[in-house]
C-alpha cells in the first residue's frame, strides 16, 4: 500500500494519500530505565509446531491494522478490547508513536511496530531506491531504525518489529528482468542487515518483514536468515498461504499482517468495466474466511492483523474500514465474532440485500433524475435513515464521497439528481440505525451528456484551436478530439488565458443549441461566438459562472465558424473539452 504514517494507510486504489518517509531526527521520547517495564517476546517451538510467547505465555495475534491518529488512541482502545483485539499493526515508528504505544499498553494491547522502506505498498507505489548502490539511503535507515528501537524496546506495548511493507513486489515498479531480480535480492539482504542491527539493540522482540504475496518469501529465505518469522498481506488469496508455505519448504512461521475481503485487484469488473465491490455481507464473510484459514494452519500461522480499523469515510474507507465515520458495519461484528467467539447481545447493522438502478440502461443523463432501489432489513427492528452519496474515483481519482439530496419515494426507492459531470461514478446508499451501526452498498453508473434533439452539425468537421497539449498522459489532445463524437477523447489548451476552439461548418449554417462537455479543467468564463469569415466574430452566448460538467443551452445563431472563447479558467490547468456540439 502507499506509504502512510503511524496512522491510517491507503490500499492500492484508494484508501488514503501517499506520503514520504517517516520523520527522522532526535529522539523525542524518554528512554526506559529497565527492561522489566517491557515484555520478552519469543518465537518458540520446532518445525511446524511453533508458537509466539509473551513472557512465557502463548500469544496468538488477534489484531487489526491501526487507522486513527495516535492522539485518539485512548478513545478507541476500549472498543478494540471489547472486540477481543490484542494486537494492532502500524506502518511507521517515530516520535508520534509514543501515545499509541502508551495507550495500547494501558489497555492490554500489543503493537507490531513498523518501519517503512521504499518502494512500499506494492503495485502503484513510488519511491524507487537502488538497493545495490544507494549506500546513503541504506545507511540512513540503518541509523534511523535502531534509534527508534532503542527508544521503545522496553516499552510494554511492543510486540515485535516489522521492517518494510510490500517492497519486494513494489520493486517491479522500478525495475525489470534481471535487474529486478538483483534488486529483490539486494533489498531482502538489506532487510537482513536491519534485522541484525535491531537484534543487537533489542534481543527481546522478534523481527519480521511484510510483503504483498508469498512469492516474496523465497527471497527472504535465501537472503534474510536472521528474520524470526515471515509476514504477508493477503486478502482473497489468504487461504492459499498454507499450501504455498508447505510447497516452499520454509523453516519459519508467519503472521498475516493484512487480510480481509477481496480487494479491487481480486474481483471481476462490472458491466461498466470497473471492479465490482463486494457487498457488506460478502465483506463480512471475507473476514470470517480469512480468520478460519489463518487459524487452520496450526503451529505455523501465529495470528493476523486484519485490515482495517479505520474511520476514513471515502472510497477506500467504504471498501475496507470496519467503522467508516466511526459507525460499525457487518465486517466489524464478523471480526469481533472471530476473536471473541460471539456477538450475542449486540445491536448489529442494517443489512442491504439488494441495490439496483431503476430502469438502468447502462447510461444516466448528467443532471437527470436517478432512482435507486434498495431492499434493507434490520435484525433489531430499528428505525432506519437513508443517505445517497457519489464518488468519482474512476473519473478523476478523487476518493471523496459527495452527499446527494435524496427523496424517499417509499418501499426502499430513493430519487436523486445524477452528477452533472459525465463519466463513470459510484453511487453509495448508506443506511444507519441510530445505534452506531451502518450498512453501505454501492453500484457504478455511467453518466452521459443529456440527449439533444437535432443534428450535431459540428461532428467530424475541421476544428482548430489557439493551442493544444501535444505530449504525455492521454495526449496529444488536438482540437479535432472535441468534435469526434467520443466522450473519452479531449481537446486540452495551454495553461493560460485566453484560449479558443473553433469548428468550420463548411458554409454559413443556422443552429439552435450548443452542448459543451467539459473535462475537469473547465472554463469559469467564456463566450460562444460565430463568424462568416473566421475573422469577425459575433457573441451569441456569454457565461460568467461556469462550474464544469455539461453546459447545455438553447441559443440561436448562424455562421460558417462557431467557437468557444475561454477568458477565465476554472482551475489552474488549461481549458479541456471532451465534446463541443452544435445542433440544428
Amino acid at each position: 500500500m502507499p506509504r502512510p504514517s503511524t496512522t491510517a494507510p491507503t490500499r492500492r486504489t484508494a484508501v488514503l494519500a501517499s506520503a514520504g518517509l517517516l520523520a527522522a531526527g532526535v529522539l523525542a521520547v524518554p528512554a526506559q530505565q529497565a527492561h522489566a517495564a517491557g515484555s520478552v517476546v519469543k518465537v518458540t517451538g520446532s518445525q511446524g509446531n511453533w508458537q509466539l510467547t509473551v513472557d512465557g505465555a502463548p500469544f496468538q495475534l488477534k489484531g487489526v491494522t491501526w487507522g486513527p491518529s495516535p492522539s485518539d488512541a485512548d478513545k478507541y482502545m476500549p472498543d478494540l478490547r471489547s472486540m477481543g483485539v490484542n494486537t494492532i499493526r502500524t506502518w511507521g515508528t517515530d516520535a508520534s508513536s509514543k501515545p499509541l504505544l502508551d495507550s495500547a499498553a494501558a489497555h492490554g494491547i500489543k503493537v507490531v511496530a513498523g518501519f517503512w522502506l521504499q518502494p512500499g505498498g506494492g503495485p502503484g507505489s513510488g519511491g524507487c531506491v537502488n538497493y545495490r548502490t544507494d549506500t546513503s539511503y541504506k545507511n540512513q535507515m540503518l541509523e534511523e531504525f535502531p534509534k527508534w528501537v532503542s527508544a521503545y524496546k522496553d516499552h510494554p506495548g511492543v510486540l515485535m518489529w516489522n521492517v518494510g511493507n510490500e517492497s519486494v513486489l513494489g520493486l517491479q515498479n522500478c525495475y525489470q528482468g534481471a535487474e529486478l531480480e538483483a534488486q529483490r535480492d539486494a533489498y531482502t539482504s538489506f532487510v537482513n542487515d536491519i534485522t541484525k542491527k535491531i537484534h543487537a539493540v533489542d534481543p527481546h522482540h522478534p523481527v519480521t518483514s511484510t510483503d504483498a504475496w508469498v512469492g516474496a518469501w523465497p527471497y527472504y529465505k535465501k537472503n534474510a536468515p536472521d528474520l524470526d518469522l515471515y509476514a504477508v498481506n493477503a486478502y482473497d488469496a489468504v487461504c492459499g498461504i498454507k499450501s504455498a508455505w508447505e510447497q516452499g519448504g520454509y523453516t519459519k512461521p508467519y503472521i498475516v499482517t493484512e487480510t480481509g475481503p477481496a480487494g479491487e485487484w481480486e474481483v471481476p469488473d462490472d458491466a461498466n468495466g470497473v471492479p465490482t465491490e463486494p457487498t457488506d455481507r460478502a465483506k463480512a464473510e471475507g473476514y470470517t474466511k480469512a480468520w478460519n484459514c489463518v487459524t487452520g494452519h496450526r503451529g505455523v500461522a501465529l495470528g493476523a492483523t486484519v485490515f482495517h480499523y479505520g474511520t476514513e469515510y471515502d472510497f477506500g474507507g467504504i471498501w475496507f474500514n470496519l467503522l467508516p465515520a466511526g459507525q460499525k458495519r457487518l465486517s466489524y461484528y464478523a471480526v469481533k465474532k472471530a476473536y471473541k467467539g460471539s456477538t450475542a447481545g449486540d445491536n448489529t447493522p442494517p443489512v442491504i440485500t439488494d441495490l439496483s438502478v431503476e430502469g438502468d440502461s447502462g447510461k444516466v443523463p448528467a443532471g437527470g433524475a436517478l432512482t435507486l432501489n434498495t431492499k434493507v432489513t434490520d435484525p433489531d427492528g430499528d428505525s432506519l435513515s437513508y443517505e445517497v452519496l457519489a464518488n468519482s474515483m474512476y473519473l478523476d481519482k478523487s476518493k471523496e464521497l459527495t452527499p446527494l439530496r435524496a427523496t424517499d419515494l417509499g418501499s426502499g426507492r430513493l430519487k436523486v439528481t445524477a452528477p452533472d459531470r459525465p463519466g463513470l461514478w459510484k453511487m453509495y446508499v448508506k443506511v444507519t440505525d441510530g445505534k452506531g451501526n451502518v450498512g453501505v452498498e454501492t453500484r457504478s453508473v455511467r453518466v452521459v451528456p443529456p440527449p439533444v434533439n437535432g443534428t450535431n452539425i459540428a461532428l467530424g468537421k475541421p476544428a482548430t484551436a489557439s493551442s493544444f497539449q501535444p505530449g504525455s498522459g492521454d495526449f496529444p489532445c488536438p482540437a479535432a478530439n472535441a468534435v469526434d463524437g467520443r466522450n473519452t477523447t479531449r481537446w486540452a489548451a495551454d495553461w493560460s488565458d485566453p484560449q479558443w476552439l473553433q469548428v468550420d461548418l463548411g458554409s454559413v449554417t443556422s443552429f439552435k443549441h450548443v452542448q459543451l462537455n467539459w473535462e475537469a479543467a473547465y472554463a469559469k468564463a467564456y463566450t460562444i461566438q460565430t463568424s462568416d469569415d473566421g475573422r469577425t466574430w459575433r457573441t451569441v452566448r456569454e457565461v460568467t459562472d461556469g462550474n464544469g460538467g455539461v453546459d447545455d443551452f438553447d441559443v440561436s445563431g448562424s455562421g460558417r465558424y462557431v467557437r468557444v472563447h475561454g477568458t477565465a479558467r476554472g482551475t489552474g490547468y488549461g481549458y479541456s473539452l471532451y465534446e463541443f456540439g452544435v445542433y440544428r
Side-chain angles (χ1 to χ4, degrees):
M1 76 191 64
R3 159 71 175 94
S5 68
T6 327
T7 59
T10 302
R11 277 311 302 167
R12 294 175 181 82
T13 58
V15 176
L16 314 158
S18 299
L21 282 171
L22 281 168
V26 179
L27 297 186
V29 295
Q32 303 295 326
Q33 297 302 310
H35 180 73
S39 300
V40 175
V41 183
K42 294 182 178 180
V43 175
T44 64
S46 56
Q47 178 70 18
N49 190 32
W50 290 285
Q51 67 177 7
L52 195 68
T53 64
V54 176
D55 294 330
F59 187 93
Q60 179 187 47
L61 279 77
K62 295 182 177 181
V64 294
T65 55
W66 174 257
S69 167
S71 63
D72 288 333
D74 284 342
K75 175 181 177 181
Y76 292 104
M77 288 297 169
D79 182 54
L80 291 177
R81 289 299 299 172
S82 75
M83 293 175 67
V85 168
N86 63 13
T87 308
I88 60 173
R89 179 203 173 196
T90 69
W91 289 264
T93 304
D94 59 12
S96 69
S97 303
K98 189 175 187 300
L100 182 61
L101 287 165
D102 288 347
S103 183
H107 291 86
I109 292 174
K110 296 292 186 181
V111 180
V112 176
F115 290 111
W116 192 262
L117 287 171
Q118 296 180 354
S125 298
C128 294
V129 169
N130 189 317
Y131 282 97
R132 294 203 296 151
T133 63
D134 194 340
T135 55
S136 176
Y137 175 81
K138 291 192 291 184
N139 286 339
Q140 180 187 354
M141 299 302 105
L142 284 167
E143 179 180 358
E144 179 183 346
F145 295 169
K147 285 183 180 180
W148 296 114
V149 172
S150 179
Y152 296 122
K153 65 185 178 67
D154 297 321
H155 197 291
V158 174
L159 180 70
M160 67 179 70
W161 308 104
N162 190 6
V163 180
N165 180 74
E166 301 189 353
S167 293
V168 175
L169 180 61
L171 282 163
Q172 69 185 17
N173 302 316
C174 309
Y175 305 99
Q176 296 179 338
E179 183 60 24
L180 173 59
E181 292 302 300
Q183 289 292 334
R184 284 174 166 168
D185 282 333
Y187 169 82
T188 46
S189 295
F190 178 59
V191 168
N192 198 64
D193 292 340
I194 294 175
T195 301
K196 288 189 289 187
K197 281 268 194 177
I198 292 175
H199 279 152
V201 174
D202 177 13
H204 298 295
H205 296 94
V207 182
T208 189
S209 183
T210 286
D211 224 276
W213 95 126
V214 291
W217 283 358
Y219 299 93
Y220 289 108
K221 180 181 179 182
K222 178 171 62 171
N223 302 309
D226 288 277
L227 287 174
D228 298 288
L229 68 165
Y230 299 139
V232 66
N233 296 338
Y235 289 77
D236 198 45
V238 65
C239 293
I241 298 175
K242 179 179 180 180
S243 174
W245 186 89
E246 292 171 342
Q247 294 176 20
Y250 300 109
T251 58
K252 296 180 188 291
Y254 66 87
I255 57 173
V256 177
T257 39
E258 291 177 27
T259 190
E264 282 185 284
W265 60 97
E266 296 175 305
V267 296
D269 286 346
D270 66 12
N272 286 315
V274 298
T276 303
E277 186 164 343
T279 66
D280 263 8
R281 289 182 296 172
K283 290 174 183 176
E285 291 166 359
Y287 286 102
T288 301
K289 180 189 78 170
W291 183 245
N292 288 340
C293 288
V294 170
T295 57
H297 199 179
R298 294 180 181 275
V300 181
L302 305 183
T305 53
V306 304
F307 192 89
H308 175 56
Y309 192 86
T311 59
E312 297 82 9
Y313 191 52
D314 58 10
F315 174 91
I318 294 298
W319 198 299
F320 284 110
N321 283 351
L322 299 179
L323 58 167
Q327 296 176 309
K328 300 170 183 177
R329 59 202 307 191
L330 290 176
S331 295
Y332 172 97
Y333 291 97
V335 173
K336 182 175 182 178
K337 185 174 183 179
Y339 289 168
K340 295 193 73 172
S342 174
T343 57
D346 286 338
N347 184 294
T348 55
V351 180
I352 305 176
T353 56
D354 187 51
L355 172 61
S356 61
V357 179
E358 190 170 286
D360 186 10
S361 64
K363 297 179 180 179
V364 178
L370 171 64
T371 301
L372 300 168
N373 282 325
T374 66
K375 292 182 180 179
V376 185
T377 60
D378 187 86
D380 306 289
D382 295 322
S383 178
L384 303 179
S385 300
Y386 294 80
E387 185 178 4
V388 179
L389 306 101
N391 169 262
S392 58
M393 176 70 182
Y394 297 119
L395 179 60
D396 58 11
K397 305 301 182 184
S398 172
K399 298 178 179 66
E400 294 184 6
L401 303 184
T402 302
L404 303 179
R405 181 175 298 176
T407 301
D408 191 341
L409 302 177
S411 302
R413 299 175 68 235
L414 303 168
K415 183 179 180 180
V416 298
T417 299
D420 66 357
R421 182 178 167 197
L424 196 57
W425 290 78
K426 290 192 76 173
M427 308 298 295
Y428 297 80
V429 173
K430 171 186 175 183
V431 186
T432 54
D433 63 1
K435 303 297 175 66
N437 298 309
V438 65
V440 187
E441 296 296 340
T442 181
R443 293 290 182 274
S444 71
V445 297
R446 188 172 295 280
V447 175
V448 298
V452 178
N453 291 327
T455 301
N456 182 4
I457 56 178
L459 182 63
K461 296 296 176 63
T464 55
S466 54
S467 65
F468 76 95
Q469 296 181 26
S472 93
D474 61 345
F475 303 137
C477 296
N481 283 2
V483 292
D484 64 1
R486 296 185 293 169
N487 287 304
T488 55
T489 60
R490 63 191 178 100
W491 163 66
D494 288 345
W495 297 10
S496 63
D497 294 314
Q499 299 289 336
W500 53 262
L501 168 80
Q502 72 181 42
V503 59
D504 182 357
L505 302 178
S507 62
V508 174
T509 308
S510 298
F511 57 91
K512 61 181 182 181
H513 193 90
V514 169
Q515 185 179 84
L516 302 174
N517 181 10
W518 295 101
E519 195 251 355
Y522 63 93
K524 181 179 179 181
Y526 64 94
T527 56
I528 301 296
Q529 300 178 318
T530 64
S531 174
D532 295 335
D533 58 11
R535 294 186 297 274
T536 303
W537 295 91
R538 303 178 295 274
T539 296
V540 296
R541 181 67 180 241
E542 182 176 7
V543 174
T544 58
D545 58 353
N547 61 358
V550 175
D551 287 343
D552 210 21
F553 40 75
D554 294 328
V555 57
S556 296
S558 67
R560 174 175 174 175
Y561 302 92
V562 184
R563 78 176 182 178
V564 54
H565 185 260
T567 55
R569 289 166 291 149
T571 73
Y573 301 98
Y575 300 95
S576 185
L577 269 173
Y578 284 119
E579 282 297 301
F580 177 28
V582 181
Y583 294 83
R584 67 176 181 187

